[in-house]
Amino acid sequence: MPLRRRHEMPFGAAVLDGGGVRFRLWAPAAERVEVLLEGRWAERTLPMKRLEDGWFATDTDAATVGSLYRFRIDDKQPAVPDPASRHQPRDVHGPSQVADPQAFLWQDDDWRGRPWEETIIYELHVGAFSPQGTFGGVEQNLDHLAELGVTAIELMPVADFPGRRNWGYDGVLPFAPDTRYGTPEDLKLLVQAAHRRGLMVFLDVVYNHFGPEGNYLHLYAPHFFTERHHTPWGAAINYDGDDAHWVRQYVIHNALYWLEEFHFDGLRLDAVHAIFDDSRPDIIEAIAAAVAEGPARERHVHLVLENDNNAAHYLRGPRGFRAQWNDDIHHALHVLITGEISGYYEDYAGRPAAHLGRCLAAGFAYQGENSPHRGGTPRGEPTAGLPPTAFVSFLENHDQIGNRAFGERTSVLAAPDARIAALSTLLLAPAPPLLFMGQEWGSTQPFPFFCDFGDDLADAVTEGRRREFARFPEFSDPATREQIPDPMSPQTFEQAVLRWEDAGTAEGRRWLDFTRQLLSLRKTAIVPRLAEPLRATSYESVGPRGLLVWWQFGNGDRLALLANYGADPLSVETVPPGRILFAWPAGSDRGGIQVLAPWSVIWFLTASGGPDG
């Protein structure tokens, strides 16, 4: 039965049941606010009534669905878009458009999501995933993703950003899907089409800052920001100071809006280590509570964090987050397969295999230990009692590729055997894995940083991008830094647009078949056991680059990994019991295991009914 969905919120433009539109704006620094209606049929100025607590509101029959509007503050120019705009047809500086979310008839009433243990994430950038660069372009490739074996797609941020291209982390109107990708209805069609194929859809959201262009909040609501805390982007969003209540509500409603009005299955909160909030509950906890009390009561809804602080406490309790991105496991694997040890990789340089083992067995590698890269300061919190499903693992994602000067993937940084060993580890380990778009066929395309700001910011962004690499020895020469791709150049973005024809090459087909094989094995042998509580887990180093890791589940089943992450053969003394579930290279298990070949990975499974169960 078709459904209509709308998230009710105290701000923005809402179509009234009896006709007309209600406009509401929180503008505590304003004395007077007017609604300016624009368009071919209506050019009107409507005064808004001043209410308590900094609010302005008006109901009018002069506006309807499709009306363009802005707010004028104290007779000043420019008039500003709605900070809760649902649709921005003319980008961040243009007028907002009245939208009726209930005009869309949903056809996925029977969708209740999927349990977290089934999660296999595929991260993608809407603009670079397909030649079209739209929500529709993603929809056209959903069959490929379903056949690959992933169970969730994660969209990099889609909130309205300035210009024609952006990673998405510079959004300034967080309720409006960027029109470069399509209309709000196009995004809903994508989510609905994914649900029909059994795919969850997650959205990356940014609550740690607003982008540098198109943010007008400081003109009429400077209370949104505070100098009490500072972030890499300047003054922090005010989550804990005076007048923070409506700032918090703005963000909480944004999270609920995406989950309820667009039927997303989960959110990934970007860089919460850059959110500063001394109140209790803090805004991160408040979002989790609101979701638990709202959409998560009716279906599976999953919240995931990115947190460089390894703050494990957010993952605990009935209202905790499902998981956190585990940068530690990426860094340890990256050091093992590439040999790179500069930057934050120095924290893993001495014992990369041991760091990897701790990640596989216990979540974070750093759980309060001192970090050399951070000047010897402690990093992380203990993870005891948390399941392995609380840590999302990956070999590639947008950050770990795009934050490199040239945006190189592991496919051009590591040998094929090393990459196979890493992928065989991640896709069969209990932690939910994440693939980055194109990784399934071994794409060699870069994913460099790109954006499209106005002229007043363009040069500063280009120079700033190159200056941030000046501290690295290989970029000490200004002439070398000049070779770093210009983020503002259209050609930089075009490098990142996936070449789907590469999946059809002989090499692409080999990688694609291998990835599908591993994900199929994960579905049949690993996922059914993840619903069981973990009874015990442990790891031990085997030489300098080998590992033995095992997990025992509540039903008695035991999974074990024996691996050599090095280019030299490795002698082993202890071989896990059980049948061999997977072995790379093929034949590694023949004739008994006394020596592990270079870059070999062997998985063992012992079922409670016997080793061959």
Side-chain angles (χ1 to χ4, degrees):
M1 180 178 179
L3 283 179
R4 302 177 190 271
R5 295 188 171 106
R6 179 174 71 179
H7 172 68
E8 300 289 347
M9 49 193 180
F11 28 68
V15 178
L16 301 174
D17 292 339
V21 178
R22 171 173 295 158
F23 295 99
R24 286 178 60 91
L25 178 71
W26 188 61
E31 293 295 326
R32 182 182 179 207
V33 178
E34 299 166 300
V35 179
L36 305 185
L37 296 181
E38 306 178 24
R40 191 189 313 173
W41 298 282
E43 297 284 348
R44 294 188 59 178
T45 300
L46 306 175
M48 299 181 73
K49 183 179 180 180
R50 185 185 180 95
L51 306 176
E52 295 181 354
D53 206 18
W55 283 97
F56 291 81
T58 188
D59 294 3
T60 179
D61 292 331
T64 186
V65 175
S67 293
L68 300 174
Y69 68 99
R70 306 184 208 223
F71 296 116
R72 184 161 61 197
I73 313 296
D74 294 333
D75 298 319
K76 296 177 182 177
Q77 295 294 338
V80 299
D82 185 350
S85 168
R86 281 180 163 93
H87 189 37
Q88 284 293 122
R90 301 179 191 172
D91 208 4
V92 298
H93 301 295
S96 304
Q97 187 171 57
V98 177
D100 181 8
Q102 292 188 301
F104 186 86
L105 296 179
W106 288 88
Q107 308 288 332
D108 63 350
D109 182 38
D110 58 344
W111 176 257
R112 293 294 179 269
R114 301 182 68 144
W116 178 249
E117 62 267 17
E118 297 180 1
T119 302
I120 302 166
I121 304 171
Y122 186 97
E123 187 194 20
L124 64 89
H125 181 278
V126 173
F129 180 65
S130 71
Q132 301 92 328
T134 62
F135 297 128
V138 177
E139 184 179 346
Q140 290 180 20
N141 290 289
L142 289 179
D143 287 339
H144 164 82
L145 299 179
E147 293 166 4
L148 176 64
V150 300
T151 61
I153 61 173
E154 180 177 310
L155 308 182
M156 290 174 65
V158 301
D160 199 30
F161 53 77
R164 293 159 291 183
R165 54 195 175 270
N166 196 284
W167 268 22
Y169 300 92
D170 294 309
V172 291
L173 294 170
F175 292 83
D178 197 277
T179 54
R180 272 63 183 177
Y181 302 152
T183 65
E185 290 74 21
D186 292 331
L187 177 53
K188 293 172 184 178
L189 286 169
L190 167 59
V191 173
Q192 181 169 263
H195 290 169
R196 280 200 295 265
R197 292 164 173 82
L199 295 169
M200 297 182 285
V201 188
F202 300 160
L203 179 65
D204 202 340
V205 291
V206 182
Y207 298 143
N208 49 53
H209 78 292
F210 289 87
E213 180 184 342
N215 173 24
Y216 293 97
L217 285 166
H218 61 280
L219 296 178
Y220 55 88
H223 313 66
F224 249 89
F225 307 96
T226 177
E227 294 292 338
R228 293 178 61 243
H229 307 293
H230 286 271
T231 75
W233 308 280
I237 297 177
N238 176 27
Y239 291 124
D240 62 358
D242 294 339
D243 301 306
H245 171 75
W246 288 114
V247 179
R248 292 169 69 92
Q249 288 300 305
Y250 181 83
V251 169
I252 291 169
H253 276 283
N254 184 258
L256 295 173
Y257 165 79
W258 291 117
L259 295 171
E260 294 178 351
E261 198 160 296
F262 287 81
H263 215 202
F264 277 99
D265 300 279
L267 303 173
R268 179 257 194 191
L269 275 62
D270 174 66
V272 299
H273 55 269
I275 293 175
F276 298 94
D277 184 358
D278 294 331
S279 57
R280 289 295 176 267
D282 66 23
I283 188 62
I284 301 168
E285 295 163 327
I287 290 170
V291 171
E293 294 166 4
R297 290 172 28 171
E298 300 176 353
R299 58 188 174 96
H300 294 289
V301 176
H302 309 300
L303 299 179
V304 179
L305 294 173
E306 181 200 17
N307 189 346
D308 187 62
N309 292 336
N310 283 3
H313 69 273
Y314 287 120
L315 305 175
R316 302 184 186 278
R319 292 180 174 177
F321 285 73
R322 291 288 189 194
Q324 179 181 306
W325 278 25
N326 191 355
D327 284 340
D328 283 356
I329 198 168
H330 168 273
H331 298 346
L333 270 172
H334 190 88
V335 170
L336 283 167
I337 70 172
T338 69
E340 293 185 352
I341 56 172
S342 61
Y344 44 62
Y345 295 126
E346 69 176 304
D347 280 355
Y348 311 84
R351 300 183 307 123
H355 283 300
L356 174 61
R358 194 181 196 195
C359 288
L360 291 167
F364 299 137
Y366 280 83
Q367 300 185 22
E369 292 79 11
N370 294 335
S371 161
H373 178 66
R374 294 163 177 79
T377 58
R379 173 174 176 248
E381 298 173 354
T383 63
L386 291 173
T389 51
F391 307 92
V392 176
S393 62
F394 41 83
L395 186 61
E396 294 185 355
N397 66 29
H398 73 274
D399 270 333
Q400 302 306 333
I401 303 171
N403 286 342
R404 301 178 65 86
F406 297 100
E408 308 103 313
R409 294 175 181 256
T410 54
S411 55
V412 300
L413 297 172
D417 285 350
R419 290 157 52 209
I420 288 173
L423 199 61
S424 302
T425 300
L426 292 182
L427 295 191
L428 295 181
L434 177 147
L435 296 170
F436 186 66
M437 61 179 195
Q439 185 181 354
E440 68 270 31
W441 65 73
S443 173
T444 58
Q445 287 183 253
F447 187 77
F449 177 68
F450 51 81
C451 54
D452 183 27
F453 292 119
D455 293 341
D456 54 337
L457 280 173
D459 291 342
V461 169
T462 299
E463 289 306 311
R465 173 69 173 173
R466 290 170 175 165
R467 190 168 53 249
E468 72 178 272
F469 289 98
R471 66 183 186 276
F472 293 94
E474 60 266 37
F475 294 105
S476 58
D477 182 359
T480 304
R481 292 198 298 274
E482 286 296 314
Q483 299 175 18
I484 296 174
D486 180 0
M488 297 292 299
S489 169
Q491 287 74 34
T492 301
F493 165 72
E494 289 164 6
Q495 290 181 65
V497 178
L498 278 185
R499 296 190 298 262
W500 282 82
E501 60 270 23
D502 291 352
T505 65
E507 183 71 2
R509 288 195 302 271
R510 280 195 294 270
W511 277 101
L512 192 55
D513 289 344
F514 183 68
T515 305
R516 285 174 176 159
Q517 174 193 351
L518 288 173
L519 292 181
S520 177
L521 188 57
R522 179 182 185 84
K523 179 180 178 180
T524 58
I526 309 300
V527 168
R529 291 172 166 85
L530 298 181
E532 295 285 341
L534 195 67
R535 185 182 297 175
T537 184
S538 183
Y539 76 95
E540 61 184 76
S541 297
V542 182
R545 298 177 70 89
L547 270 182
L548 173 60
V549 190
W550 60 265
W551 302 259
Q552 186 166 2
F553 301 98
N555 64 354
D557 290 359
R558 181 165 166 156
L559 179 70
L561 166 68
L562 183 62
N564 177 11
Y565 301 102
D568 298 317
L570 181 65
S571 298
V572 296
E573 296 180 359
T574 303
V575 177
R579 70 181 176 93
I580 291 178
L581 185 68
F582 173 87
W584 179 267
S588 296
D589 55 315
R590 292 175 186 165
I593 302 168
Q594 296 178 329
V595 176
L596 290 177
W599 302 111
S600 59
V601 171
I602 309 176
W603 284 95
F604 302 82
L605 181 63
T606 305
S608 56
D612 297 323

